[in-house]
Amino acid sequence: MNARSNPVTTGKASSRRRLIETAFVTAGSFAISRSGQAMTSESHEDRFSRGLEILRRTGGLNFDEPINALAETSADLSRFIVEYPYGDVLSRPGLDLPLRQLCTVSMLLADGSAQPQLKFHIAGFLNAGGEPNAIVELLFVSVAILGFPATVNAVGIVRSVFAERELAFQPIEPVTGDGAGRGATGQDMLHRLAGGDGQDYFDRFATAAPDLAQLSIDFAFGEALARDGLEHKVKLLAIVAMLASSGNRSDALRLHLAGALANGVTREEIIELFIQLSVYRGFPAALNAFSVARSVFALGAQPLQVDIPTSVDTESRTDRLERGKALLAKSSAASGDAVVRSFDDIAPDLGRMIVEHSYGEVFSRKGIDLKTRELSACAALAAIGSATTETPLRVHINAALNVGASRDEIIETLVNLTAYSGYPATQQAIRIAAEEFAKSNPSSRPRREESE
């Protein structure tokens, strides 16, 4: 008996066909509940028209400028963009339009190299009725989930959007208090934003790096995520969007999906978010996120299970800040006060967090010397290789020089990335290093540039 006539094989094939048919029926019934007709009966014109209306609501006065420019090169891609992202996805009723736009901004923040699109959707959030303060508060979520480079890069984009709209924006007031005892706040926020087996999550790295677990609670949850400028539901959806967009964050994504369910976010809202993820981060990211969500949905809403002792933090914010300023001056010859003040027009606390946390808590640790820290920072930023990490890479190349690293040591640190990040990323990092070396010694510029 060959495989073609094997009843077992035939049975499996029939089962697969039934699953596919069921999926089509389910999709069709959902479309009927949404629009009164099956999606298969909709014409391109119907979807395009619906998408154009959503694009008009979010894109502002020149809403069609990007797609018209694209149409000059590819009319089909221009049409696809209107039909699928806007006509099929953003028009769905599961999330309101401003919240969808905020989730889109979260996804693009995680991308790190989609600045024109990030700017377009920040403006789109405002066009859809979102409040400027919500965009700024989202940056603090980004600090905890994505880090400072992505956040700082976005500040400039937010600033330009506000300026172009001539918004009379009042900067977000800095927090008050001495910053001691933030561990208790972090514990409370951890229980608000996470769920499921948190003990297993923390145990996986806390055994090797107990201080990291404490920093996670004290800073990420106790400061960056503890702010009250966003509703918990919005904050949770933003966190989930960033983690799902980043890729390979399954454990953290699982923790926050469980927290979302435990705090009132519905399965349908999560599903809508991941359908939208397919637009802005691709189907592989969306499928991976759905796989994690499926395991969380199977368990249902579960409160957080974790027992991490609350830290007794007697150090004040001023102590951490002053230590950070001193280290910043040593490594980068930069004024800590200038860094703190550089975000005064948007959110003063961002500048303080950079100095107080990055330099006052992390870079000031004693485990490795400062030169090694700077070289490792160069390697990390070069390996990421996004647009958001280019400026920080320049900063840390110069900082490495300031604390005693030679040019050869910096180059060797970057060349070491070839096997792990590929040649294009390494070549770009070396180009940036060469440009920074030339700034401090113009005679070191390549001969070709001198002859031009």
Side-chain angles (χ1 to χ4, degrees):
M1 182 181 295
N2 60 33
R4 188 170 298 172
S5 60
N6 189 327
V8 175
T9 306
T10 304
K12 288 181 178 179
S14 298
S15 296
R16 284 196 295 269
R17 282 196 297 273
R18 284 195 296 272
L19 285 171
I20 294 169
E21 289 166 1
T22 301
F24 276 117
V25 170
T26 302
S29 65
F30 184 86
I32 290 171
S33 69
R34 185 186 81 165
S35 61
Q37 58 181 340
M39 290 179 71
T40 52
S41 69
E42 285 192 314
S43 67
H44 286 302
E45 288 74 16
D46 292 332
R47 298 165 62 216
F48 188 88
S49 177
R50 184 170 63 240
L52 202 62
E53 177 56 30
I54 297 295
L55 183 58
R56 181 180 289 107
R57 289 175 60 188
T58 58
L61 184 63
N62 298 315
F63 73 95
D64 56 349
E65 184 175 323
I67 59 169
N68 286 337
L70 177 60
E72 295 177 3
T73 304
S74 173
D76 278 344
L77 182 57
S78 177
R79 174 175 59 81
F80 291 161
I81 287 175
V82 177
E83 284 185 18
Y84 177 61
Y86 292 94
D88 285 344
V89 177
L90 297 184
S91 64
R92 292 167 64 92
L95 296 170
D96 66 49
L97 192 55
L99 183 53
R100 280 195 181 277
Q101 286 297 110
L102 201 70
C103 290
T104 298
V105 171
S106 300
M107 295 170 191
L108 294 172
L109 280 168
D111 179 285
S113 294
Q115 279 70 19
Q117 292 77 20
L118 179 59
K119 182 177 181 180
F120 182 86
H121 286 283
I122 288 172
F125 170 75
L126 300 174
N127 291 335
E131 293 293 329
N133 277 22
I135 283 289
V136 177
E137 287 292 347
L138 184 67
L139 298 179
F140 289 97
V141 179
S142 175
V143 165
I145 305 300
L146 304 174
F148 283 105
T151 307
V152 171
N153 180 268
V155 170
I157 296 173
V158 170
R159 187 181 283 126
S160 69
V161 170
F162 287 180
E164 289 170 9
R165 301 171 78 93
E166 298 182 347
L167 279 177
F169 179 74
Q170 293 299 314
I172 303 291
E173 289 293 327
V175 298
T176 57
D178 64 2
R182 59 190 176 155
T185 302
Q187 286 274 6
D188 178 65
M189 192 53 54
L190 175 63
H191 283 80
R192 291 298 302 269
L193 298 178
D197 192 353
Q199 194 68 50
D200 177 68
Y201 176 82
F202 280 96
D203 284 349
R204 292 186 185 186
F205 63 84
T207 303
D211 287 352
L212 177 59
Q214 203 57 66
L215 280 172
S216 302
I217 294 172
D218 289 354
F219 178 75
F221 287 95
E223 288 204 54
L225 296 176
R227 301 172 61 87
D228 57 8
L230 293 174
E231 297 176 3
H232 285 305
K233 171 184 172 180
V234 175
K235 192 179 296 185
L236 279 160
L237 287 172
I239 291 170
V240 168
M242 290 178 186
L243 290 170
S245 298
S246 298
N248 199 28
R249 301 289 186 272
S250 296
D251 289 343
L253 179 58
R254 187 174 294 107
L255 198 73
H256 287 286
L257 281 172
L261 292 176
N263 284 280
V265 178
T266 67
R267 289 176 47 144
E268 289 71 25
E269 287 169 330
I270 293 169
I271 289 169
E272 284 299 322
L273 176 62
F274 290 161
I275 290 173
Q276 186 170 325
L277 185 67
S278 71
V279 173
Y280 295 100
R281 297 295 285 153
F283 279 98
L287 293 172
N288 290 339
F290 269 112
S291 178
V292 176
R294 187 165 57 246
S295 67
V296 176
F297 292 164
L299 295 173
Q302 288 187 314
L304 184 68
Q305 306 160 31
V306 65
D307 182 20
I308 299 177
T310 302
S311 63
V312 180
D313 188 358
T314 59
E315 189 176 46
S316 71
R317 176 172 292 126
T318 301
D319 293 335
R320 294 189 292 265
L321 189 59
E322 291 306 313
R323 186 168 62 243
K325 288 179 181 178
L327 187 61
L328 183 59
K330 180 179 179 180
S331 63
S332 299
S335 165
D337 287 328
V339 173
V340 170
R341 291 196 304 269
S342 62
F343 302 98
D344 280 355
D345 61 326
I346 299 292
D349 273 342
L350 280 176
R352 173 188 60 78
M353 284 179 172
I354 291 172
V355 179
E356 180 188 333
H357 179 61
S358 296
Y359 288 88
E361 287 194 281
V362 178
F363 260 58
S364 62
R365 292 170 60 85
K366 305 299 183 184
I368 54 177
D369 62 75
L370 190 53
K371 183 177 85 169
T372 305
R373 284 198 185 275
E374 289 295 351
L375 289 173
S376 67
C378 291
L381 292 164
I384 294 170
S386 69
T388 63
T389 58
E390 181 169 331
T391 296
L393 177 58
R394 294 180 185 277
V395 169
H396 285 282
I397 286 171
N398 284 289
L401 292 170
N402 289 338
V403 297
S406 68
R407 294 185 179 191
D408 285 345
E409 287 175 317
I410 293 170
I411 293 298
E412 284 304 318
T413 297
L414 298 177
V415 169
N416 202 47
L417 296 175
T418 54
Y420 305 99
S421 299
Y423 278 86
T426 307
Q427 289 159 357
Q428 174 155 305
I430 296 293
R431 174 187 61 77
I432 291 170
E435 290 172 358
E436 294 309 305
F437 295 162
K439 289 176 185 176
S440 60
N441 182 10
S443 64
S444 68
R445 288 194 180 100
R447 293 180 181 277
R448 183 177 61 82
E449 289 186 7
E450 292 177 350
S451 64
E452 289 176 347

